[in-house]
Amino acid sequence: MATVGQPCSSWTRGSIPLSKRLPRRRFSSRTTTLTRLTPQAALVQAPPSPSAPRDNSSIQVLTLSRANDLQAEARAMTRAVNATVYNPQLIASMYGSQPVKVVRRTLQILVALGSFGLKLLLDQRSGVLDQNRRVRASELKDIFTKLGPTFVKLGQGLSTRPDICPPEYLEELSELQDGLPTFPDEEAFACIERELGLSLDSVFSSISPSPIAAASLGQVYKAQLKYSGRLVAVKVQRPGIEEAIGLDFYLIRGLGFFINKYVDIITSDVVALIDEFARRVFQELNYVQEGQNARRFKKLYADKEDICVPDVFWDYTSAKVLTMEWVDGVKLNEQEAIERQGLKVLDLVNTGIQCSLRQLLEYGYFHADPHPGNLLATPEGKLAFLDFGMMSETPEEARSAIIGHVVHLVNRDYEAMARDYYALEFLAPDVDVSPIVPALRDFFDDALNYTVSELNFKTLVDGLGNVLYQFPFNVPAYYALILRSLTVLEGLALYADPNFKVLAASYPYFAKRLLTDPNPYLRDALIELLFQDGRFRWGRLENLLVQGRMDRDFTAKEALQPVLKVLLSPDGEELRNLVIKEAVRVTEAFTLSTISDTYKSVPDFMKALVFNGNANGPIIMSEGETQNMIELRDQVFRIWGLLQSSDDFDPDLLLPILQVLQQPEARRLGERVMGGITQRLAARFLQQVLRVPTPST
């Protein structure tokens, strides 16, 4: 729920105990009492601190706690066994026999949206479309609110699409996230009793007299558990919401059939898209599923000290009631309130970006609705994620392809970028990508004139979107959600710092993944990034290490292990040839730059005696060539220094190299390197011996 952690004036005045505030007869129809909780059951709600030392007894208690937690979750699933699921055929049969209700709802929607469209048309003809934009945006927000939950969800989706809506609409529609009308408290309290099979005063010692927040599907109360005193957020579903949403999707699906049949300009299966959206919305109606989403999210991402995910209280959760740990905090877009707590918005946004990248590209399971109301800054400086009704997943192949796509973008390899769209499922395998390459080149050659820190993510997304929509692309749902997630975070940061760029904040994560991930696709992408035209790009490696070290999960021990493994593999012959050439070049640079430095330190009278007064020293090299040798040597030293300066640096990093040097293939590799070095140095000295003296003038 959007503002679970927001301060509530009614709560701060003090909640009245239920036994005193609510008439007993209100709940007298319910005779079930709360089963007494054992100390072990209480541990379900208050597990031991992960940092505490664990002896055998604490491990046993933790195991018992987890077992009780699973049992409580199983009981919650039993309570939700009859939860509503999306079935278009069942919905069609239900409302197909109710023409009066269908016609009434259709007219209500047409009148509301038709009048709004007419106002926009009149504004355009009168030349006041821009001047009235704020007024019309507010009217559209009110229309969506009056039309009910389905259109509120639609408005919420539009509020995070700056590519579709002007800023005024984004601001107005964003109020649909958590500022919606409430339904009567009596209905909410009755729903809690009915769903849990318990009287309200047997579960809670106190509860807020009115909702803390209200969203499209339900509203939230702040309460205190009677048995433990823990503060919780209790989300209660709106009454009759299944019927309301079902009727709207029946009508929208009918419109989809019409579009599929008569609108040729739209090539996608609109009905399939509607069904997918409806399926997600109906999943949100099952609060047990949302609780399971929260549990999975917490397991994957709350291992970081600056990420907070509330616990679920399964004994007080059902399909229509969700009880979760209360989280104190303020919305991430309330900059002044955050700063009053001594926190920085940009630090929290950076935390959100790093967590989002882990969600999208590491585990693939991500929060698909990260609007400001679902992201709270806690007083301890943590970023709290709330409302896990809408989740999505990035396919495994696509995760690696996205990182590889970034590498191809950096290399300006537009042919490879175009081929990435197969793995990203943007294009069918039979689509020819060759016409796409010039369009990508035209756009990115201009965009990449900016530095990474200057390139705005939204600008990049908008420009790429213009390129994509010229061709038969099918943008997957997960990709649209990824863009929305990162665009929302960048938008939040821009309130605090107009110069903030999400791409610059994301680059350390990409660098770390490239340097440490053994995934074959990413390993090849790293090699592609580091080698060009048969030469190793030491500057790229240095930059990757500098950026990667900014990610706190970076470990020097794992850095470059992927490249090392492929170098030593049977399939690494091509890479070994490149490494041999580079090893010869680096060794030559070390040798000759050292000779040059030594020569410079020799007194002038010794130079005259030993080198016959040759100003160039013992080796014939131009000043530019000498400088390049010195720069290469110094760059290698800097890279080694970056690895050594890492907190977790371990000389064992070199053990795989030492081990492979003992193998026959490695000895042949070493012989080839030494042979190449000997040839290069011999050629240098032979040139020195046979040099033609410069005539004196």
Side-chain angles (χ1 to χ4, degrees), residues 116 120 129-130 133-134 136-138 140-141 144 151-177 458 461-462 484 487 495:
F116 178 76
L120 289 181
L129 187 63
D130 292 338
R133 188 173 287 168
R134 174 71 65 179
R136 298 292 176 247
S138 179
L140 183 61
K141 176 194 67 177
F144 282 163
F151 288 87
V152 169
K153 297 298 292 184
L154 175 63
Q156 290 175 352
L158 291 174
S159 73
T160 57
R161 293 298 301 268
D163 55 329
I164 297 176
C165 297
E168 293 84 357
Y169 282 81
L170 294 178
E171 293 176 16
E172 291 292 333
L173 294 179
S174 65
E175 296 182 12
L176 293 173
Q177 306 291 5
K458 181 182 179 301
V461 169
D462 291 346
R484 185 177 75 170
T487 301
Y495 281 109

Side-chain angles (χ1 to χ4, degrees), residues 443-500:
F443 171 68
F444 283 109
D445 276 347
D446 290 334
L448 294 180
N449 288 330
Y450 299 99
T451 65
V452 174
S453 61
E454 294 173 337
L455 192 59
N456 183 285
F457 180 74
K458 181 182 179 301
T459 301
L460 186 62
V461 169
D462 291 346
L464 183 59
N466 292 332
V467 172
L468 298 186
Y469 288 119
Q470 299 176 32
F471 301 95
F473 277 85
N474 178 31
V475 180
Y478 76 84
Y479 185 76
L481 293 171
I482 288 173
L483 297 184
R484 185 177 75 170
S485 176
L486 294 177
T487 301
V488 167
L489 287 168
E490 185 176 58
L492 290 171
L494 291 176
Y495 281 109
D497 180 7
N499 297 317
F500 181 87

